[in-house]
Amino acid sequence: MGMAIGRVRPSIEALAAYRPGKGAAQAEQEHGITNAIKLASNENPYAPVPAVAAAIADAASQANRYGDHRAVELRSALADWIGVESERITVGCGSVGLLQQLCLTYLDPGDEAIYPWLSFEAYPVCVKMMGATPVTTPLVDHRFDMAAVADAVTDRTKLVLLATPNNPTGTAVSTDEIGTLLETIPDDIVVLVDEAYREFADPGLGDPVTDLLPRHRNLIITRTFSKAYGLAGLRIGYAITDPEIVAEIDKVLLAFAVNSAGQAAALAALGALDDIQPKIEHILAERTKVVAALTSAGWKPPPAEANFVYLPTGDRTDEICLALERRGVVTRPFSGDGLRITIGSEAENTRFLDTLAEVAGP
Ligand SMILES: Cc1ncc(COP(=O)(O)O)c(C=O)c1O
């Protein structure tokens, strides 16, 4: 290995880069196959509806201009839609952008951020990037152990990161459970409820905006247009929180990171919810089909509350993932634990189920 160029911060030198899900083209090249399908990044299988596609094309024609750094129109539309004041909303470069803003705002070297693990792989990257210390709590039956999260709090804890539904396990916690945590821990700890997959979850789990935000100023809820609204490539996430938190995290938003085409697309999506909702319903119906097929084959997937299913494959995870991939079905392995499979189109889901039956049993 050569000498490092410049004096890289030790926190960055020690960091493993975020690994996105493998693409279909890469799998085709690696295995010398054609017709691979990607069920590895929890994307929406549907292209944007016509009204949204038209708004994107219109924005593209003006791409010589910067977008609105503060996304004023989109914030205000989101505030109306959600039913809160627009001072409580901010928009980021994907919800992962908001996660990074949160870490930049709250974490100094030596501070602690707690999150259950397995969870979203961007959490360790963002926390370690700041020189802060991740404190993880184990899952129980693929679910969060909220008492363990509360017990992990120390006087160095600054953030708690809770993805619900969780990626990769697909399990969710209720607002009652989050409320208990918020009542238990000091209120100078900021709690992120990352609802990237909210639209796929059981509404009976509650809505943190109405159930918790009025009583807890230290709560920040993030949501996204990437998953249910099918705009992953345009990077629009948003947060709902106290206006003071909005003001602080807005300071570290990279200039114009919330791009103009994304803002136009998100606004158009809010105007086209009647066209988008049936697609969400279709993904949910497909999820039911996939879970039923897996269960009747003898697999024991945890309750699936997002647009993917989690298959506990334990020590066989890498082997099964590779066997699927060689047959053109690209999934996301979590070595030694399980495989995450995104719900795709009807044909893709059927192909996954048929291929899995060929390569492995429970
Ligand atoms: C739990 C969770 N949060 C956030 C994100 C990021 O989504 P976005 O596209 O809004 O940055 C993902 C994406 O995979 C996720 O799984």
Side-chain angles (χ1 to χ4, degrees):
M1 212 164 75
M3 262 225 298
I5 303 168
R7 285 169 287 168
V8 178
R9 290 174 49 221
S11 313
I12 304 300
E13 213 167 31
L15 206 59
Y18 176 74
R19 287 178 310 123
K22 190 179 283 188
Q26 191 188 341
E28 287 174 357
Q29 206 178 22
E30 279 179 24
H31 303 296
I33 54 172
T34 53
N35 288 325
I37 55 170
K38 180 191 186 194
L39 301 175
S41 290
N42 297 343
E43 293 153 333
N44 192 309
Y46 301 111
V49 298
V52 174
I56 296 168
D58 185 50
S61 74
Q62 301 165 55
N64 53 313
R65 303 289 178 193
Y66 289 113
D68 172 11
H69 175 69
R70 291 187 49 76
V72 172
E73 198 183 345
L74 179 55
R75 286 191 204 213
S76 142
L78 284 166
D80 288 348
W81 180 46
I82 296 162
V84 297
E85 304 85 351
S86 61
E87 296 73 30
R88 290 186 174 276
I89 303 274
T90 189
V91 179
C93 180
S95 49
V96 81
L98 290 157
L99 168 73
Q100 191 185 75
Q101 287 173 252
L102 204 62
C103 290
L104 281 165
T105 304
Y106 289 97
L107 296 179
D108 269 323
D111 288 344
E112 293 173 357
I114 303 172
Y115 49 88
W117 191 254
L118 290 172
S119 191
F120 185 31
E121 289 191 303
Y123 294 166
V125 177
C126 272
V127 172
K128 291 179 187 170
M129 179 183 82
M130 303 309 302
T133 306
V135 175
T136 59
T137 61
L139 305 190
V140 177
D141 287 340
H142 308 289
R143 294 167 182 271
F144 289 180
D145 177 349
M146 296 294 275
V149 173
D151 286 346
V153 168
T154 72
D155 56 11
R156 312 200 86 167
T157 308
K158 290 278 201 73
L159 291 177
V160 175
L161 311 175
L162 299 172
T164 180
N166 185 39
N167 170 12
T169 56
T171 52
V173 285
S174 67
T175 53
D176 278 354
E177 292 170 278
I178 301 167
T180 303
L181 177 78
L182 285 162
E183 301 292 345
T184 316
I185 68 175
D187 59 13
D188 62 351
I189 296 172
V190 171
V191 175
L192 167 68
V193 174
D194 174 348
E195 293 194 307
Y197 303 99
R198 171 176 181 81
E199 296 81 359
F200 304 106
D202 176 1
L205 291 160
D207 181 345
V209 174
T210 49
D211 301 351
L212 302 173
L213 200 57
R215 281 179 293 126
H216 300 283
R217 299 185 63 197
N218 54 325
L219 173 67
I220 174 166
I221 299 141
T222 54
R223 295 178 179 170
T224 182
F225 283 88
S226 295
K227 308 294 181 181
Y229 301 99
L231 292 173
L234 290 180
R235 317 302 304 122
I236 302 289
Y238 58 99
I240 311 135
T241 184
D242 189 272
E244 275 184 33
I245 294 183
V246 168
E248 295 302 330
I249 67 175
D250 273 359
K251 293 178 188 170
V252 292
L253 170 64
L254 184 70
F256 307 111
V258 185
N259 75 90
S260 53
Q263 292 184 42
L267 278 164
L270 292 178
L273 294 174
D274 288 349
D275 298 332
I276 295 172
Q277 192 57 37
K279 294 174 185 284
I280 299 175
E281 303 296 336
H282 191 68
I283 293 168
L284 292 176
E286 282 294 299
R287 184 183 74 192
T288 304
K289 177 187 96 178
V290 171
V291 170
L294 291 172
T295 308
S296 72
W299 294 97
K300 293 191 169 54
E305 296 284 355
N307 66 336
F308 52 86
V309 293
Y310 194 66
L311 210 54
T313 41
D315 293 343
R316 296 185 298 157
T317 299
D318 290 341
E319 175 196 322
I320 296 175
C321 180
L322 184 62
L324 287 169
E325 214 176 274
R326 289 199 169 121
R327 290 162 179 77
V329 178
V330 185
T331 62
R332 184 70 172 262
F334 293 81
S335 274
D337 198 88
L339 264 192
R340 191 193 71 196
I341 306 103
T342 305
I343 300 297
S345 68
E346 217 168 304
E348 288 171 338
N349 303 330
T350 302
R351 181 157 161 209
F352 156 67
L353 290 169
D354 291 348
T355 311
L356 179 70
E358 271 171 48
V359 304

